[in-house]
């Protein structure tokens, strides 16, 4: 699994962090998503897919 983000699309809703905090974080100054792990483990796969689905800006891409 490979995860990528588009910080220009991000609206700082924080849904990704709530779904997969070990993979996503937010910048302190503006809340924009930060990718902590672009190759999450299989155990994290469901949480990462949920984060992508919850993102209101569709700023997360997941490739299996």
């Amino acid at each position: 699994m490979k995860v990528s983000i588009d910080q220009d699309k991000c609206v700082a809703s924080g849904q990704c962090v709530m779904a997969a905090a070990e993979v996503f974080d937010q910048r302190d100054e503006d809340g924009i998503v930060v990718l902590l792990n672009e190759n999450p483990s299989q155990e994290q796969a469901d949480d990462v897919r949920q984060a992508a689905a919850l993102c209101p800006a569709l700023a997360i891409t997941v490739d299996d």
Side-chain angles (χ1 to χ4, degrees):
M1 166 179 278
K2 181 162 172 73
V3 179
S4 59
I5 57 172
D6 185 340
Q7 290 184 328
D8 293 331
K9 286 184 177 180
C10 181
V11 295
S13 73
Q15 297 300 311
C16 57
V17 177
M18 292 188 341
E22 59 283 338
V23 179
F24 304 100
D25 200 356
Q26 291 177 281
R27 295 191 305 218
D28 290 335
E29 63 271 12
D30 57 8
I32 298 298
V33 65
V34 175
L35 186 60
L36 301 175
N37 182 359
E38 69 178 26
N39 296 301
S41 68
Q42 277 303 112
E43 292 79 26
Q44 298 168 319
D46 288 342
D47 290 344
V48 171
R49 286 189 190 95
Q50 181 181 15
L54 291 172
C55 179
L58 302 176
I60 301 169
T61 303
V62 178
D63 294 312
D64 288 314

